[in-house]
Structures are given as structure tokens and as C-alpha cells.
């Protein structure tokens, strides 16, 4: 009971959520997450890009051009059907909330997908809009309008709670979160991570980088969690990047998060890491005489601390000027 929290209007037995990944792609893995102490799961995303590519690949082998629409429709519906079956199975056999996830780049069929996901029994939907701005002619305003158009159409199509997973590259994340709040979005997830790129200097080739997050990435997420919760306290925040320990989770909660989403640490250490994180939070609460998460959540957001500049400071000059080699 000490770890109970409320996120997107859902009651969670713990603030630790298994984020969208291969760890939430099957019923058995989700059962394992629940047994380990997860408060909820975000199902592995259904990807617009992947489904469209699969449809195009199958269609390319067809000798009958008139069958193109049928082939593409079949691939899309089959992929969606498997996803809906997973939602139904999890709802029947697990007791924790199930948050579906859609990864998309543009408004389109995904509005209808959101409707049927709701019908299948998902408790909430996490919308992951994955836009990497690579066109030098596209302004920041256009990109933001594209985001808001997708979000508005999905929000108007469903009644279940909606959260949006944001990237860290917005010029003003607070302004975006405010626009989401005005559109009746219940939560934001901070932050999305783009697929990492690396360079092999011996083979002189571009390759994939390390896909797992690190604790070093938590700092920037804490900054924006503290700022968002301080200025827009009625929208829920889930911290998604850099949480690897119970101490990391406590920091996120103090900054104002309602929950934390984890994946990398589970790949590295197994589902048992969930229980370890929950145990740490519980022990920390007992040491500081907190009976519920609500008593300390947001205690250190940008509004509640004496010096908000600690969240707003971006330059190192003052720090390094007092240190010598």
C-alpha cells in the first residue's frame, strides 16, 4: 500500500512501469513483470513505419497490381489483430493496468487503430510520435503543428486516458506540454530516445549505437520533470529515461513524477530489478517517515524548492570557476 500511486487516472500498486519494449511483447513476459512487482505495463509499440514497410515488401512480390490494396490491408489488419489479441489476453489473465502504445509519424489510419485498441480493453494509450527533423526547410513551428494535429485527432477519437511520449529536442518543452494539457491529454512521458547512431572508425561505416539508456541521462529528465510538475501540476509525468535504481526512482518522484518507466535495467539485470527498486523506495520512505508516495511526490519540483534556478541553470561557468586543475 505504501507504493500505491495514481497515473493517468489509473491506480497502480507501485510506481514502477515496464516501458514499451520486447519485455512487454508477450503474455508470459507481462505475467513475469506483474509477479516482479510492476505497477503497470506499456505494451510493445505497434509501429506505423514497420507495418507500412511490411505491407510494401509483401506487395512487391505480387504479380497482380489490382491485388495491391488487398495485400496491404491484410498485412495491416493481421498485425493489428495480433496486438488486439495480446491486449485481450493480458486483461483476462493479469491484474495490473495495460497501457497500449502506438508509434507513428503522421495522422492517418492510426486514429482508427486507437479506437479498436480502446475496444479491446486497453486501460490507456501511450502515443509515441517519432519525428526526426531532417528537412532543412521544415520549421520548428511546422513540426510542432504536426505533433499537435496527430494528438488532437487521437484524443478526439478515444475516451481512455492518453499520454504522449515526447522527445527531448523541443525548443520549449513546457509550451508543448501546456498545449497537450489544453487538449485533454492526461500525461506525458519524458523522454523518448531516438535510435542511437555510432561510427566504426576501423571499417569506416555507420552502425547502431548502444540501445540501452544510462544513469547519466537521468539528469536532463529530472530537470524537465521538476519544471513540468512545478508549472503544470495537473498533467501526470512518467520518467522514462535513465532510471536504473531505486534511488533514481525516488529522485524522479521527488521531482514530481507519478511513475517511472524502465526497460534497459531489466534487460541488463532481469525482472528482479523491479522488486529491488520497489524495496528501495519502501525502505527510503520508512527512513524518512513517509507513509504514502503522495506525501513527498513533487516536494522538490521547481515550484516547491527555495531556489528554482537550480533547475534552470544551464551554464558551467560558475561551477568550474571555483575549481582548479
Amino acid at each position: 500500500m505504501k507504493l500505491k500511486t495514481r497515473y493517468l487516472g489509473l491506480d497502480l500498486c507501485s510506481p514502477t512501469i515496464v516501458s514499451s519494449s520486447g519485455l512487454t511483447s508477450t503474455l508470459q513476459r507481462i505475467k513475469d513483470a506483474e509477479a516482479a512487482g510492476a505497477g503497470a505495463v506499456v505494451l510493445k509499440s505497434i509501429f506505423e513505419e514497420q507495418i507500412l514497410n511490411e505491407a510494401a515488401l509483401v506487395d512487391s512480390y505480387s504479380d497482380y497490381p489490382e491485388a495491391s490494396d488487398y495485400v496491404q490491408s491484410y498485412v495491416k489488419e493481421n498485425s493489428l489483430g495480433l496486438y488486439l489479441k495480446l491486449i485481450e489476453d493480458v486483461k483476462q489473465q493479469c491484474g495490473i493496468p495495460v497501457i497500449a502504445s502506438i508509434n507513428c509519424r503522421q495522422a492517418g489510419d492510426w486514429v482508427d487503430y486507437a479506437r479498436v485498441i480502446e475496444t479491446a480493453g486497453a486501460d490507456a494509450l501511450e502515443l509515441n510520435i517519432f519525428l526526426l527533423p531532417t528537412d532543412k526547410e521544415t520549421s520548428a513551428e511546422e513540426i510542432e503543428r504536426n505533433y499537435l494535429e496527430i494528438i488532437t485527432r487521437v484524443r478526439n477519437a478515444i475516451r481512455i486516458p492518453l499520454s504522449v511520449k515526447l522527445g527531448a529536442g523541443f525548443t520549449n518543452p513546457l509550451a508543448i506540454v501546456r498545449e497537450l494539457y489544453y487538449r485533454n491529454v492526461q500525461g506525458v512521458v519524458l523522454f523518448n530516445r531516438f535510435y542511437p547512431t555510432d561510427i566504426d572508425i576501423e571499417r569506416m561505416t555507420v552502425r547502431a549505437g548502444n540501445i540501452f539508456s544510462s544513469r547519466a541521462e537521468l539528469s536532463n529528465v529530472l530537470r524537465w520533470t521538476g519544471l513540468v510538475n512545478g508549472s503544470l501540476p495537473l498533467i501526470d509525468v512518467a520518467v522514462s529515461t535513465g532510471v536504473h535504481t531505486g534511488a533514481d526512482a525516488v529522485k524522479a518522484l521527488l521531482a514530481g513524477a507519478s511513475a517511472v518507466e524502465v526497460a534497459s535495467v531489466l534487460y541488463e539485470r532481469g525482472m528482479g530489478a523491479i522488486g529491488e527498486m520497489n524495496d528501495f523506495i519502501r525502505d527510503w520512505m520508512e527512513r524518512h517517515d513517509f507513509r504514502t508516495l503522495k506525501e513527498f511526490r513533487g516536494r522538490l519540483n521547481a515550484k516547491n524548492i527555495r531556489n528554482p534556478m537550480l533547475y534552470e541553470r544551464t551554464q558551467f561557468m560558475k561551477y568550474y570557476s571555483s575549481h582548479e586543475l
Side-chain angles (χ1 to χ4, degrees), residues 42-275:
V42 182
L43 299 185
K44 183 178 180 182
S45 294
I46 183 167
F47 279 80
E48 172 193 22
E49 186 176 12
Q50 180 180 354
I51 291 179
L52 293 179
N53 287 342
E54 288 176 355
L57 180 63
V58 174
D59 189 40
S60 68
Y61 289 100
S62 174
D63 294 328
Y64 302 94
E66 62 271 20
S68 176
D69 290 342
Y70 172 80
V71 170
Q72 293 196 25
S73 177
Y74 173 81
V75 172
K76 293 177 183 179
E77 291 178 5
N78 186 58
S79 298
L80 181 59
L82 294 174
Y83 198 74
L84 299 180
K85 181 65 165 57
L86 177 60
I87 295 173
E88 293 169 356
D89 289 345
V90 174
K91 287 300 297 179
Q92 290 175 2
Q93 301 185 44
C94 299
I96 56 177
V98 177
I99 303 172
S101 176
I102 291 178
N103 186 304
C104 61
R105 297 176 298 172
Q106 57 192 358
D109 293 343
W110 303 100
V111 175
D112 294 328
Y113 281 25
R115 290 192 184 101
V116 294
I117 283 173
E118 177 180 31
T119 303
D123 295 295
L125 175 64
E126 183 176 289
L127 192 59
N128 188 347
I129 306 171
F130 215 61
L131 298 175
L132 181 66
T134 57
D135 182 359
K136 64 181 182 297
E137 304 298 331
T138 303
S139 67
E141 290 79 5
E142 291 178 78
I143 295 171
E144 292 178 6
R145 280 198 301 269
N146 194 3
Y147 269 84
L148 295 175
E149 177 188 357
I150 296 171
I151 292 162
T152 300
R153 291 186 60 181
V154 172
R155 176 66 283 174
N156 291 338
I158 61 174
R159 291 176 293 178
I160 57 176
L162 176 66
S163 65
V164 177
K165 196 168 190 176
L166 294 175
F170 284 102
T171 302
N172 187 350
L174 288 176
I176 292 295
V177 176
R178 181 193 61 187
E179 292 299 321
L180 299 185
Y181 175 71
Y182 288 161
R183 287 163 173 77
N184 199 29
V185 172
Q186 285 87 348
V188 290
V189 183
L190 307 177
F191 282 112
N192 200 349
R193 300 176 71 246
F194 287 112
Y195 192 79
T197 300
D198 197 5
I199 290 179
D200 187 323
I201 62 174
E202 300 303 328
R203 293 184 176 88
M204 289 188 287
T205 56
V206 178
R207 64 183 183 186
N210 182 11
I211 63 172
F212 297 129
S213 71
S214 69
R215 294 188 67 192
E217 296 176 73
L218 180 62
S219 174
N220 187 52
V221 187
L222 291 178
R223 178 197 302 274
W224 288 108
T225 299
L227 290 168
V228 168
N229 185 248
S231 62
L232 296 159
L234 296 182
I235 193 166
D236 290 342
V237 178
V239 167
S240 174
T241 299
V243 177
H244 285 246
T245 68
D248 297 334
V250 170
K251 292 176 183 180
L253 294 166
L254 284 167
S258 298
V260 295
E261 294 189 5
V262 295
S264 294
V265 65
L266 304 185
Y267 278 108
E268 295 168 350
R269 292 166 44 202
M271 287 291 184
I274 296 175

Side-chain angles (χ1 to χ4, degrees), residues 292-305:
T292 66
L293 266 63
K294 187 177 180 180
E295 292 177 21
F296 69 90
R297 188 181 70 84
R299 175 172 286 205
L300 299 183
N301 69 23
K303 181 179 180 180
N304 290 333
I305 61 175

